[in-house]
Amino acid sequence: MHRFKGLFLILVLLIWPHGFLKSQETCAFQVEALVFASSGSQSIPGATVEFLNSETPPLVTDSRGYFSVDNLCEPNLLVRIRFVGYIPYQDTLQLSPGKNSFKIYLQSDIHELDEIMIEAERVEELSTVNLERLDRAALNRTTGNSLGQTLNEISGVTMLQSGPAIAKPVIHGLHSNRILILNNGIRQEGQQWGQEHAPEIDPFMADNLELVKGAAAVKYGSDAIGGVVLVNPSELPRKAGLGGKINAVGATNNGLYASSVLLEGGVASLKGFGWRIQGTFKRAGDANAPDYRLTNTGLKEQNFSLGLGYHKSDFGAELFFSSFDTEIGILRSAHIGNLTDLANAIGSDKPLFIEDFSYDINNPYQAVKHKLLKANIHKYFPNVGQLTVQYGLQFNGREEFDIRRAGRSDIPALSLDLTTQTLDIDLKTEGSSDWEWDTGITMMYQNNRNDPETGIRPLIPDFENIVAGVHLIGRYIQPNYELEFGGRYDYKHYLIKRFDRQNNLLKPEFNFSNFTGSAGALFRMDNNYELRLNLGTAWRAPHVNELFSEGLHHGAAAIEEGTSDLQSEQAIKWMTSLEKATSTYSFSVSGYYNLINNYIFLRPEDVTLTIRGAFPVFRYRQTDARFMGVDADFVWRVTDQWSSKSTLSLIHAKDKDNDSPLINIPANQFASELTYKHDWANSNQFSFTLGGKWVDEQRNAPRIVTIEQLIAGNSDDFFLNDQSIFDFIAPPQSYLLFHSALSFKFPMASRHSLETSLTIDNLFNENYRDYLNRFRYYADDMGRNFSLRINYSF
């Protein structure tokens, strides 16, 4: 009954505005326009039309270059129109009540370099692959959240959690080494193989986040089987002046407080030079489930970044440095002293350790440092194209502290230092007025080293990793459609340095290589429909942890064992997306089918008692897997003040070899929210949002083998007649959570603005456990949380 009641409430949120508000007064302005080339002899179909001071969704001109929009409320409408090969048009249209007709002319994009006329044409990269974007306004609504929590706003994206403080993105059921994250254009390289190793990135420094859901290996390199996350800062200033923003966040559930300051500017005597400096501090204590504290789940974070750049019309250079430093507590109740307590703890209503609230971060905990340096130079060559050379240097230090005997708790149980150097060379050229080409070379060298002072046999061995790749992408661009194809070759070499049980030094070497390719099409159809089709292949070599893990993975509270003969994963993914945007509604529906041969996963196999406690045992295995699903987004502007947004994500994954489910796959979910916005004459803005999110029980879950059964029997017996995966407990029940938000925005003089918001998550303080939370075995998820956010821009 509770489930159906929740579904009814969400349905009310979606359809209520139509029945209750359709009688409300609508706005009286209408616009229609024809978009032409500057010569006036040729219309421009397929141009993107954006309404910058209106909630109206973007439109695309039809085959005649025509667009129209009704029910506008703004008498002064700020419009931007873009099309490849033309300078973006931006102007304010003065409107009268009723219909307003315009003819708009776009100027060809001409660069004059040393008296040579060059016509430049720039298109969206990977235009045939589904791409989602969170802009600055969306990021302002989630300030203080981690990168994984922020990306959870996008349909098809969920979180793999290890308690309330650690979250990493899951795209269409895939995570960790199957997702690439580009931090300001540099491939983020840390110890991302760990399921509880969250990305070491500060969302405060980003101006927007972009997400590629397809198999994007051709453009970005191997490992992008699940998708790519692009963390994009805003462009550096090029003019003199000082600007910036100040963010402050406070939350009640875990006592979180955070602040971030960004300053940027230029130099009057050096046109084209810009600088930026940004810093963040964040602190949180123990989180609170509805009925108890989640002891030792606090965090402390200190980050900063610095950017310098110089840009001219045909040349640019940038230097960027960032530092990320965090300590994260691990739920104390996930580390159990004996097998009996482990059996009692897994699936218990309450965790074994419950203490009063504290900001202290005690053992077990993680301490992670990540430093990134980027140098970028790009130059435009007449009759050739733009050449970009980019170098990246990263240092990642990870320490994990366990509860150790004999006063050794201050010595890390795991200490890894990873150094990564990358070099990317990319050339974009125009073969003709209809063609664009992208060719590139990628190289990477990594060195991973264990600190021997831990006194413990390392979880993964030392290794060196050398990667090289080349790619070619071609695009054929027409007003009503685009065609895209690409190919890539990658080579990877591992040199492993490990000791066997007799302390003999072994140096096994591995070589992996593969070709990948993609082909796609984008069709701009009548009535503002867009259809995207893409078929892509991708691959991923097994990581060293999957080959040679050996021992307790402290952060995951589990014993993990590698398998040295694993093969490379081979994936082929088909995606189809249909989109439409009008003045009153927009929607996007995409379906995907992803077949991954030699899919690598952690299979639960046993429990064991060690001198460090009792833990479940997982081992890396391979199978052929299939992932298929649907993502849907629907935005409805009911009136000029009321709007609703709904998202749906469905996914089904299967172990094809054993004809059985896979473990740790997201459950189906649906979310909807209703928003009221009001603008006053002095441009002050007010909004109120009420929404709900329903997450279904994972109904395609593995079989169950309990801890008690494993203790009583032989673990091998459970695989004699059935090689399929099992889990220790049944999936948690479905749950429904409500949230609300109240925000005010106050524009000020000289482009200053102040924005403040109050949000309430888990509005009714529901008890629930999420299937993708690794600590669902031991405790509930977070309860009600009030968050206050203040953003000042100048």
Side-chain angles (χ1 to χ4, degrees):
M1 179 64 68
H2 173 75
R3 178 184 304 159
F4 291 106
K5 179 182 177 182
L7 286 173
F8 174 76
L9 290 173
I10 284 187
L11 188 61
V12 167
L13 285 175
L14 179 60
I15 66 174
W16 171 62
H18 180 64
F20 183 77
L21 300 170
K22 62 181 180 180
S23 62
Q24 298 292 313
E25 181 182 358
T26 58
C27 297
F29 301 103
Q30 304 172 35
V31 170
E32 65 173 7
L34 285 167
V35 180
F36 293 95
S38 55
S39 63
S41 60
Q42 181 182 0
S43 63
I44 302 180
T48 301
V49 184
E50 299 171 281
F51 307 95
L52 302 183
N53 62 340
S54 169
E55 293 296 320
T56 303
L59 303 175
V60 177
T61 57
D62 65 14
S63 58
R64 300 172 294 154
Y66 173 84
F67 74 89
S68 66
V69 58
D70 300 329
N71 302 326
L72 292 168
C73 309
E74 300 79 8
N76 301 312
L77 184 64
L78 182 58
V79 176
R80 180 169 63 194
I81 303 176
R82 295 179 296 157
F83 189 70
V84 294
Y86 293 88
I87 297 173
Y89 170 92
Q90 184 167 315
D91 197 7
T92 299
L93 305 181
Q94 307 294 327
L95 306 183
S96 301
K99 182 175 290 187
N100 299 262
S101 300
F102 299 91
K103 288 185 178 180
I104 297 174
Y105 298 90
L106 303 189
Q107 302 294 321
S108 295
D109 191 1
I110 304 294
H111 295 288
E112 184 173 349
L113 304 175
D114 299 330
E115 300 182 353
I116 300 175
M117 305 301 289
I118 308 294
E119 183 168 338
E121 187 171 299
R122 185 179 186 274
V123 299
E124 176 189 2
E125 292 183 355
L126 299 167
S127 59
T128 66
V129 178
N130 192 295
L131 185 140
E132 303 279 354
R133 191 172 189 267
L134 293 177
D135 59 15
R136 167 44 52 192
L139 295 183
N140 283 343
R141 294 193 294 268
T142 60
T143 52
N145 291 348
S146 68
L147 181 68
Q149 292 167 328
T150 301
L151 289 168
N152 194 37
E153 300 291 315
I154 299 174
S155 64
V157 181
T158 48
M159 294 185 297
L160 181 65
Q161 296 178 267
S162 296
I166 301 174
K168 59 194 312 181
V170 181
I171 305 174
H172 291 168
L174 303 175
H175 57 83
S176 302
N177 280 346
R178 298 184 185 94
I179 294 176
L180 287 185
I181 299 178
L182 268 65
N183 184 2
N184 197 5
I186 295 290
R187 173 176 170 141
Q188 179 85 3
E189 286 292 331
Q191 306 288 352
Q192 64 261 32
W193 49 267
Q195 295 193 19
E196 87 300 347
H197 297 175
E200 299 94 356
I201 294 178
D202 180 8
F204 276 113
M205 74 177 186
D207 180 70
N208 64 80
L209 301 176
E210 293 181 317
L211 176 69
V212 180
K213 294 182 180 179
V218 170
K219 173 64 179 177
Y220 298 107
S222 65
D223 300 348
I225 293 179
V228 178
V229 177
L230 307 176
V231 182
N232 303 317
S234 59
E235 293 186 359
L236 289 169
R238 302 187 185 186
K239 297 181 180 179
L242 178 65
K245 57 185 177 182
I246 301 173
N247 286 283
V249 184
T252 59
N253 184 286
N254 57 356
L256 178 143
Y257 55 93
S259 62
S260 177
V261 178
L262 183 150
L263 298 174
E264 61 183 10
V267 178
S269 59
L270 187 59
K271 186 177 180 180
F273 176 81
W275 59 270
R276 177 182 297 129
I277 187 169
Q278 179 266 343
T280 297
F281 178 82
K282 181 161 65 173
R283 187 75 185 269
D286 296 333
N288 195 30
D291 297 328
Y292 47 78
R293 284 285 172 191
L294 302 171
T295 299
N296 200 47
T297 55
L299 67 88
K300 180 170 64 176
E301 193 174 300
Q302 302 174 83
N303 315 313
F304 77 91
S305 62
L306 172 68
L308 303 171
Y310 176 68
H311 294 274
K312 297 168 58 179
S313 60
D314 64 336
F315 172 80
E318 292 185 9
L319 191 66
F320 174 79
F321 175 79
S322 67
S323 174
F324 182 97
D325 189 341
T326 187
E327 293 182 5
I328 306 174
I330 302 297
L331 181 70
R332 177 65 183 87
S333 296
H335 285 242
I336 311 300
N338 58 69
L339 292 174
T340 301
D341 286 345
L342 179 63
N344 292 332
I346 289 185
S348 173
D349 291 337
K350 290 187 177 182
L352 296 184
F353 296 89
I354 301 176
E355 299 178 356
D356 293 337
F357 172 83
S358 173
Y359 280 103
D360 295 339
I361 299 175
N362 300 309
N363 295 45
Y365 75 95
Q366 302 176 358
V368 185
K369 294 179 172 62
H370 190 96
K371 293 178 171 54
L372 181 150
L373 175 67
K374 163 192 167 180
N376 177 291
I377 297 176
H378 50 92
K379 169 70 176 175
Y380 185 86
F381 294 95
N383 301 319
V384 178
Q386 179 165 291
L387 177 67
T388 302
V389 179
Q390 182 168 273
Y391 170 77
L393 174 64
Q394 298 176 72
F395 171 78
N396 184 275
R398 168 172 287 271
E399 294 181 328
E400 300 187 357
F401 293 83
D402 205 348
I403 302 172
R404 304 183 66 176
R405 300 177 180 178
R408 294 180 297 165
S409 291
D410 292 336
I411 301 174
L414 176 70
S415 181
L416 296 169
D417 292 332
L418 177 67
T419 302
T420 304
Q421 299 184 71
T422 56
L423 179 65
D424 299 287
I425 303 174
D426 193 82
L427 177 64
K428 293 183 178 179
T429 61
E430 297 90 33
S432 69
S433 60
D434 298 326
W435 283 92
E436 182 178 90
W437 298 91
D438 184 328
T439 57
I441 300 173
T442 301
M443 289 173 280
M444 182 174 73
Y445 172 76
Q446 285 185 321
N447 185 288
N448 194 72
R449 187 183 67 85
N450 282 274
D451 185 347
E453 295 183 3
T454 61
I456 297 175
R457 188 176 180 84
L459 175 64
I460 66 171
D462 295 355
F463 67 86
E464 295 180 30
N465 179 22
I466 299 174
V467 176
V470 295
H471 76 264
L472 171 66
I473 298 173
R475 302 182 183 91
Y476 181 69
I477 306 160
Q478 293 294 301
N480 294 329
Y481 67 91
E482 295 181 22
L483 303 178
E484 181 179 78
F485 66 89
R488 184 182 183 97
Y489 174 77
D490 285 285
Y491 169 82
K492 179 188 284 281
H493 173 77
Y494 281 135
L495 171 61
I496 314 296
K497 304 171 185 177
R498 61 184 296 264
F499 290 91
D500 62 15
R501 289 294 180 178
Q502 290 73 43
N503 283 329
N504 297 312
L505 178 61
L506 306 177
K507 294 185 177 182
E509 297 187 50
F510 295 82
N511 295 303
F512 302 95
S513 62
N514 213 318
F515 286 96
T516 53
S518 69
L522 166 63
F523 298 98
R524 301 183 180 93
M525 301 178 290
D526 293 340
N527 299 318
N528 298 321
Y529 282 100
E530 283 193 354
L531 177 66
R532 300 174 192 263
L533 309 171
N534 185 270
L535 178 65
T537 64
W539 76 290
R540 184 182 74 88
H543 194 272
V544 173
N545 74 297
E546 295 164 329
L547 296 168
F548 291 110
S549 283
E550 186 181 14
L552 174 63
H553 190 177
H554 141 85
I559 303 293
E560 296 181 3
E561 302 291 343
T563 302
S564 61
D565 59 353
L566 297 176
Q567 303 299 308
S568 295
E569 293 181 338
Q570 310 278 346
I572 181 168
K573 186 173 186 178
W574 171 264
M575 287 195 66
T576 301
S577 301
L578 181 65
E579 305 167 16
K580 181 176 181 177
T582 72
S583 59
T584 55
Y585 70 89
S586 64
F587 72 82
S588 172
V589 179
S590 62
Y592 61 90
Y593 183 95
N594 196 3
L595 182 63
I596 306 178
N597 292 328
N598 300 323
Y599 174 77
I600 302 172
F601 63 97
L602 264 178
R603 186 174 77 172
E605 294 197 350
D606 204 350
V607 293
T608 188
L609 179 63
T610 74
I611 60 172
R612 299 163 70 184
F615 300 96
V617 178
F618 295 79
R619 184 166 283 106
Y620 286 100
R621 300 294 190 184
Q622 282 190 300
T623 189
D624 291 342
R626 183 203 67 197
F627 297 77
M628 56 190 300
V630 174
D631 298 333
D633 298 80
F634 181 71
V635 177
W636 183 17
R637 186 185 179 193
V638 186
T639 71
D640 58 299
Q641 294 178 321
W642 291 90
S643 63
S644 66
K645 177 182 178 181
S646 301
T647 62
L648 173 70
S649 296
L650 307 176
I651 183 172
H652 186 276
K654 180 179 181 180
D655 176 350
K656 294 186 64 182
D657 288 354
N658 296 293
D659 193 25
S660 63
L662 293 170
I663 197 170
N664 292 332
I665 303 299
N668 298 329
Q669 49 193 271
F670 173 75
S672 184
E673 61 182 27
L674 174 69
T675 299
Y676 172 81
K677 290 185 178 181
H678 182 75
D679 295 343
W680 284 278
N682 57 2
S683 297
N684 292 335
Q685 298 178 355
F686 160 80
S687 71
F688 173 75
T689 297
L690 176 64
K693 183 176 183 179
W694 176 73
V695 178
D696 194 12
E697 178 183 337
Q698 178 50 273
R699 304 180 186 279
N700 185 41
R703 61 192 173 113
I704 306 301
V705 177
T706 66
I707 296 294
E708 291 85 354
Q709 288 175 306
L710 288 170
I711 293 174
N714 186 333
S715 62
D716 292 337
D717 294 340
F718 296 101
F719 295 104
L720 284 177
N721 300 314
D722 188 351
Q723 289 293 313
S724 65
I725 307 168
F726 66 73
D727 201 352
F728 300 118
I729 59 174
Q733 295 180 349
S734 59
Y735 62 87
L736 171 66
L737 302 181
F738 285 92
H739 64 272
S740 64
L742 183 70
S743 69
F744 297 89
K745 186 174 183 179
F746 309 100
M748 301 177 179
S750 302
R751 300 177 64 183
H752 292 209
S753 68
L754 176 65
E755 184 174 0
T756 180
S757 66
L758 175 67
T759 62
I760 310 174
D761 295 308
N762 195 356
L763 184 63
F764 299 113
N765 206 29
E766 294 287 338
N767 294 91
Y768 74 100
R769 299 191 183 192
D770 189 271
Y771 181 65
L772 287 190
N773 192 332
R774 293 290 302 273
F775 293 155
R776 66 181 171 89
Y777 296 131
Y778 310 105
D780 291 343
D781 278 82
M782 286 179 63
R784 184 188 296 115
N785 187 33
F786 292 81
S787 300
L788 177 66
R789 295 177 171 91
I790 300 174
N791 172 264
Y792 176 64
S793 300
F794 57 94

